[in-house]
Amino acid sequence: MSVVFVLVGQCGVQIGAQICNNLERNERTHHTDGCVRCVGVDTEPKVIEGVLKQDRKRLFRRQSFVWEEEGRGNNWAFGYTGACKQSPPKGNQIRKKPAFTTKWTPLIVPIVERALTALQEEIKRAGGYVETVMFIHSLAGGTGSGLGSRLIGEAKKQFKEEASYYISVVVAPHSFGDTAVSSINAALTLSHLYRHSSLILLFSNQDISTSLAKTRKTVSLKDINDSITTSMLLLLQRGYVPFIGSSLVGENAPHEYHKVAFVSLFETSYECDPWGTAVRAVVKKHKKTVGASLVASSPSKVETEQGYEILQKVPPPCRSAVVQSPLLYPATDKHRRLIVRALTCPHTLLSFLIPLSNQAFAKYLSGAYLHWYSKYGVTKDHLGDALATLRDVVKVNVEYLNGGVEG
């Protein structure tokens, strides 16, 4: 079953292009002509132009990439509602007075139309149906979070028959401190993703930096992007079970309030360490908060199957994708092996969601920065609705931990 990637914003285009460039060619992610099933969207041209200029493998179709000139200024509302007029000859967009209705249904703006048209064409080239549309974007930027949220909702509405699953791969900033409005952007994004996405695969820059800092003196943005890329490659193409949206969603999103999987990459000893032993160590450390829905190729198929059976004993929604591969990664050697863990347990979700909600709620109460959003049609009530959604998610997960909700 096939997948189409939709790369949104600087973060999404950079990481998504890196993933696409390292994917092994296969019928699930590539067209017969060798091009990746991919759409790129950004409100600034620099990153997209760089990706297309460096596309020596000719993996990307230029007509599948759309962009504007002015960016979205880390403003979720500007990214979501747009505020553009008809494009000039080069296809770039110019800002004008925002168009936003009072019923939380913003008018379709050119970049949204062009992105959806490009997605429609990619689906047509795949035979008119793809199992999964996978969005890659930031959680708290302007374009990635705002426009990304908008595109997921519009795509799900427009392509009901053409795709079954909508998976969001999102990157959270460092402790929501990258900008003053990061927590507001993240809260608005998560509320929309809970509404429209089948599964949310979440990477935390903070967690990745902390993990990488254990093995190197300095951690750069490239190091973080490399870690995310490696994790996604393991999930997409190194799996014991081929990448299928239904497998990822079914195992990692068993409930409407349990659809966030926190993805992390770590190393374990490779030499003289049977796969099952490594997995048992992970299970012992995390007890019931770890399991597996997807297991990558290991030195031996029998060894892999044994590890898979071990982890399948852990009941959802406390499972995770534990993916293992001999694929090398910077700072590793032939005696190390990588495991990708995608935790969907309530403990992990609450430790992330509660601080985020508290920060956003404090700004909601004080009214701080809300005028930046209201001029693009997103009011305090809209933020209140988003926080209410996150509150419901927190409530259900707390009840689950207390034994009141079944997975």
Side-chain angles (χ1 to χ4, degrees):
M1 305 299 283
S2 56
V3 57
V4 174
F5 300 100
V6 181
L7 322 178
V8 188
Q10 177 178 333
C11 172
V13 172
Q14 285 179 333
I15 294 175
Q18 192 170 339
I19 292 171
C20 292
N21 270 295
N22 288 280
L23 277 173
E24 295 176 356
R25 180 173 173 176
N26 65 86
E27 61 182 9
R28 290 175 283 122
T29 56
H30 293 67
H31 293 290
T32 55
D33 62 1
C35 290
V36 179
R37 295 190 183 96
C38 175
V39 173
V41 187
D42 202 357
T43 53
E44 293 178 299
K46 183 178 180 180
V47 176
I48 284 183
E49 288 177 347
V51 167
L52 295 177
K53 184 177 181 180
Q54 297 172 17
D55 183 25
R56 297 180 180 86
K57 298 179 182 179
R58 297 187 177 182
L59 293 173
F60 306 112
R61 285 187 175 83
R62 188 176 183 85
Q63 61 267 36
S64 294
F65 283 72
V66 299
W67 65 90
E68 294 178 351
E69 286 288 337
E70 294 192 344
R72 290 296 181 265
N74 288 311
N75 190 318
W76 187 95
F78 191 11
Y80 189 89
T81 64
C84 308
K85 67 180 181 181
Q86 190 60 38
S87 59
K90 288 187 178 180
N92 301 322
Q93 305 295 336
I94 299 177
R95 178 173 55 182
K96 71 170 188 177
K97 185 178 180 180
F100 191 83
T101 68
T102 58
K103 295 183 178 181
W104 192 231
T105 308
L107 301 177
I108 296 292
V109 293
I111 193 169
V112 175
E113 290 180 328
R114 294 167 60 218
L116 292 175
T117 298
L119 177 56
Q120 184 178 40
E121 291 301 315
E122 286 295 322
I123 294 175
K124 284 182 179 179
R125 294 187 189 101
Y129 172 81
V130 294
E131 186 191 44
T132 304
V133 179
M134 179 174 285
F135 290 81
I136 303 176
H137 57 105
S138 68
L139 183 67
T143 302
S145 65
L147 181 57
S149 298
R150 177 72 182 280
L151 287 175
I152 293 171
E154 295 291 346
K156 188 176 182 181
K157 184 192 307 181
Q158 182 169 324
F159 305 117
K160 293 180 180 179
E161 305 297 328
E162 289 86 354
S164 299
Y165 301 100
Y166 291 84
I167 297 177
S168 296
V169 179
V170 292
V171 181
H174 289 79
S175 300
F176 303 102
D178 287 2
T179 67
V181 294
S182 291
S183 60
I184 298 177
N185 290 340
L188 288 164
T189 303
L190 276 177
S191 69
H192 274 72
L193 296 186
Y194 264 100
R195 192 174 305 134
H196 300 297
S197 295
S198 308
L199 172 67
I200 305 165
L201 297 175
L202 192 148
F203 291 87
S204 168
N205 280 348
Q206 185 68 48
D207 291 345
I208 294 172
S209 296
T210 301
S211 178
L212 293 177
K214 297 176 181 178
T215 58
R216 59 195 72 192
K217 295 181 179 179
T218 60
V219 178
S220 66
L221 179 60
K222 182 181 183 301
D223 294 329
I224 294 174
N225 289 348
D226 285 347
S227 178
I228 295 172
T229 298
T230 302
S231 298
M232 288 304 302
L233 289 172
L234 289 171
L235 287 173
L236 289 170
Q237 66 184 24
R238 301 286 179 173
Y240 171 69
V241 179
F243 171 74
I244 299 176
S246 58
S247 296
L248 277 175
V249 174
E251 291 288 347
N252 292 291
H255 188 280
E256 63 176 324
Y257 290 112
H258 298 300
K259 58 170 60 176
V260 175
F262 291 83
V263 186
S264 58
L265 181 71
F266 65 97
E267 301 175 13
T268 185
S269 177
Y270 184 87
E271 188 176 30
C272 300
D273 181 16
W275 195 90
T277 302
V279 172
R280 284 189 178 90
V282 174
V283 174
K284 183 178 180 181
K285 179 180 179 181
H286 295 279
K287 296 181 180 180
K288 290 187 177 181
T289 65
V290 69
S293 63
L294 190 65
V295 179
S297 58
S298 189
S300 120
K301 183 178 179 182
V302 173
E303 192 179 44
T304 301
E305 290 174 343
Q306 290 174 346
Y308 188 73
E309 290 175 359
I310 293 169
L311 293 171
Q312 281 299 305
K313 295 178 182 178
V314 182
C318 290
R319 284 184 179 171
S320 71
V322 176
V323 183
Q324 189 173 30
S325 170
L327 179 71
L328 296 182
Y329 176 71
T332 67
D333 56 38
K334 64 181 181 180
H335 300 302
R336 307 290 291 174
R337 77 171 65 186
L338 299 172
I339 294 180
V340 173
R341 184 174 65 235
L343 292 176
T344 54
C345 66
H347 287 288
T348 308
L349 175 61
L350 291 174
S351 65
F352 172 83
L353 200 55
I354 290 176
L356 162 63
S357 300
N358 289 341
Q359 288 186 40
F361 188 64
K363 290 182 171 62
Y364 169 81
L365 291 178
S366 66
Y369 304 104
L370 297 188
H371 63 285
W372 290 8
Y373 296 80
S374 60
K375 65 181 179 180
Y376 296 109
V378 177
T379 67
K380 187 175 183 178
D381 289 340
H382 295 134
L383 177 57
D385 291 341
L387 291 172
T389 297
L390 299 188
R391 178 194 62 199
D392 291 341
V393 174
V394 169
K395 179 180 178 181
V396 169
N397 279 274
V398 169
E399 290 176 349
Y400 174 81
L401 289 176
N402 293 331
V405 175
E406 296 183 1

